[in-house]
Amino acid sequence: MARKPDLRVVPAAAREPTLDLGILPNQVGYHLRLAQIAVFEDFAETFHDHGMSPGRFGVMVLIEANPGVSQGQLAQAIHLDRSTMVSVIDYLEGRDLVVRKASATDRRTNALWITPKGAELLADLKKLVEQHEERILADLSAEERAQLVQLLNRVKRQNLL
Amino acid sequence: MARKPDLRVVPAAAREPTLDLGILPNQVGYHLRLAQIAVFEDFAETFHDHGMSPGRFGVMVLIEANPGVSQGQLAQAIHLDRSTMVSVIDYLEGRDLVVRKASATDRRTNALWITPKGAELLADLKKLVEQHEERILADLSAEERAQLVQLLNRVKRQNLL
DNA sequence: CCAATTTAGATTGGCGTCAAACTATTTTGC
DNA sequence: GCAAAATAGTTTGACGCCAATCTAAATTGG
């Protein structure tokens, strides 16, 4: 392969590396990662003041939609380890956004419920997440967004779901 | 009682109520995350025996394509923190896959080069990554793969690059 | 019925990542 | 020319995640 010596003599401040990315742009995984980073950064920025991450937000959504759900069910649904879910719920419970209650049928499990305070916050978060999505997808039409989701869902995931 | 393989008798663990996912499936970010997880799992499985992760592989590709590149340039190109790059290079250098050399023009920077051993390994890794991509994208035609990349690249990323 | 196995949640340890602070060096600006 | 600011690499600390392990409880199977 021909080497590309960087012969540019430019002031350091204006030096634009513009590295040769090699085979990386040929990989779908690479572009997936870049998109993921961009989305996560906007998400983090949007929800930083609320102490929320995609994982925490997802957990609150699932608890609200499935009152009494267990931690293990959540972990499986959202692809987090059970041990990770412990600290997520610890955090949310510590902020009085969700509560662990005793299960009526299985004393091993915690039945999780959203609190009034949690439901109130979640309503605001849902509006914010809509704005977030609108922001990151501004350049895509409704058809293109649906197409993107459709293509993403056809990425092989026999290990998951 | 005659013993028969009753496929409907599944362990208690398989009692999956199939949670209501609420608004999550409406979010592109959610589907992006699922695809990312699936891709990463296959990648990790493929490269586990080689002690490689997407980040380490990407760094090796970039060093090979840009001999003498600095750690900071790499970090910027691949969206890792400079401090993270230190340990990545430490690891690769510890395995004699890359080397830090003194820069001719800036004594602050390390000029990074791939070693013969690193180049040899990288050649194998590139074949593996092709197979990995083929596996995760098996359900997509060439046109659909290009379309997916095209859509991913149009996700807003003004924060990046 | 009851011992063995499985399951749920929690604890601990390891790894990867980022951010802040530190040192050495380079660049900037007066 | 030289002091101030910026930059490169490193170290340290924090956080999120997973894997292994532990305890209590439920389920299974003889």
Side-chain angles (χ1 to χ4, degrees):
Chain A
M1 290 306 133
R3 178 167 313 157
K4 251 193 183 171
D6 189 347
L7 298 176
R8 291 169 302 172
V9 182
V10 224
R15 203 193 306 153
E16 259 192 51
T18 323
L19 292 189
D20 180 351
L21 297 179
I23 67 167
L24 293 187
N26 299 337
Q27 289 177 247
V28 175
Y30 171 76
H31 297 279
L32 202 51
R33 178 166 175 271
L34 288 186
Q36 173 75 20
I37 290 174
V39 170
F40 183 84
E41 289 208 353
D42 188 282
F43 192 104
E45 202 171 310
T46 305
F47 289 90
H48 179 266
D49 293 342
H50 295 282
M52 282 290 141
S53 63
R56 288 172 181 169
F57 172 73
V59 164
M60 287 187 70
V61 168
L62 292 187
I63 294 176
E64 187 190 48
N66 305 273
V69 68
S70 74
Q71 296 181 194
Q73 288 175 314
L74 284 181
Q76 187 175 13
I78 212 168
H79 299 289
L80 285 181
D81 194 86
R82 293 196 319 274
S83 55
T84 303
M85 191 56 61
V86 173
S87 61
V88 173
I89 300 300
D90 281 351
Y91 174 83
L92 295 176
E93 191 173 37
R95 284 186 56 188
D96 267 326
L97 302 175
V98 308
V99 284
R100 290 173 164 105
K101 293 188 178 179
S103 163
T105 59
D106 189 336
R107 282 187 296 169
R108 292 172 304 178
T109 68
N110 295 328
L112 301 169
W113 298 76
I114 197 114
T115 64
K117 184 179 173 188
E120 189 176 351
L121 174 60
L122 189 51
D124 292 341
L125 296 179
K126 285 179 179 176
K127 292 173 194 159
L128 283 179
V129 88
E130 275 180 36
Q131 297 168 13
H132 153 72
E133 287 265 316
E134 192 50 50
R135 215 159 38 238
I136 62 173
L137 299 174
D139 289 350
L140 276 64
S141 69
E143 291 76 15
E144 289 170 327
R145 296 176 193 190
Q147 204 170 36
L148 176 55
V149 168
Q150 214 261 344
L151 289 170
L152 287 173
N153 281 327
R154 284 171 58 205
V155 171
K156 269 277 182 260
R157 60 184 66 180
Q158 56 236 17
N159 316 347
L160 314 172
L161 293 180
Chain B
M1 217 180 260
R3 205 46 281 149
K4 77 287 180 194
D6 188 348
L7 298 178
R8 283 179 35 216
V9 173
V10 277
R15 254 190 296 135
E16 292 182 43
T18 320
L19 292 188
D20 180 352
L21 297 179
I23 66 168
L24 293 188
N26 298 338
Q27 288 177 246
V28 175
Y30 170 75
H31 297 279
L32 202 52
R33 179 167 173 271
L34 289 187
Q36 173 76 18
I37 290 174
V39 170
F40 183 83
E41 289 207 355
D42 187 281
F43 192 104
E45 202 171 313
T46 305
F47 289 90
H48 179 268
D49 293 341
H50 295 283
M52 282 291 142
S53 62
R56 288 172 181 169
F57 172 73
V59 164
M60 287 188 70
V61 168
L62 292 188
I63 294 177
E64 187 189 48
N66 306 272
V69 67
S70 74
Q71 295 181 193
Q73 287 174 315
L74 284 181
Q76 185 176 13
I78 212 168
H79 295 106
L80 284 181
D81 195 86
R82 293 197 317 276
S83 57
T84 303
M85 192 56 62
V86 173
S87 60
V88 173
I89 301 299
D90 280 351
Y91 174 84
L92 295 177
E93 191 174 38
R95 283 185 58 187
D96 267 326
L97 302 175
V98 309
V99 284
R100 290 173 163 107
K101 293 188 179 179
S103 163
T105 58
D106 189 336
R107 283 187 297 169
R108 293 171 304 177
T109 67
N110 296 327
L112 300 170
W113 299 76
I114 198 116
T115 64
K117 183 179 173 188
E120 190 178 349
L121 173 61
L122 188 52
D124 292 340
L125 296 179
K126 284 180 180 175
K127 291 174 194 157
L128 282 179
V129 88
E130 275 180 37
Q131 297 168 12
H132 153 72
E133 286 265 318
E134 193 49 51
R135 211 156 43 235
I136 63 174
L137 299 174
D139 289 350
L140 274 65
S141 69
E143 290 76 15
E144 288 170 328
R145 297 176 193 191
Q147 204 168 38
L148 175 55
V149 169
Q150 216 263 340
L151 289 170
L152 287 173
N153 281 327
R154 285 171 58 205
V155 170
K156 268 279 183 257
R157 60 185 64 178
Q158 58 232 19
N159 314 349
L160 315 172
L161 295 181

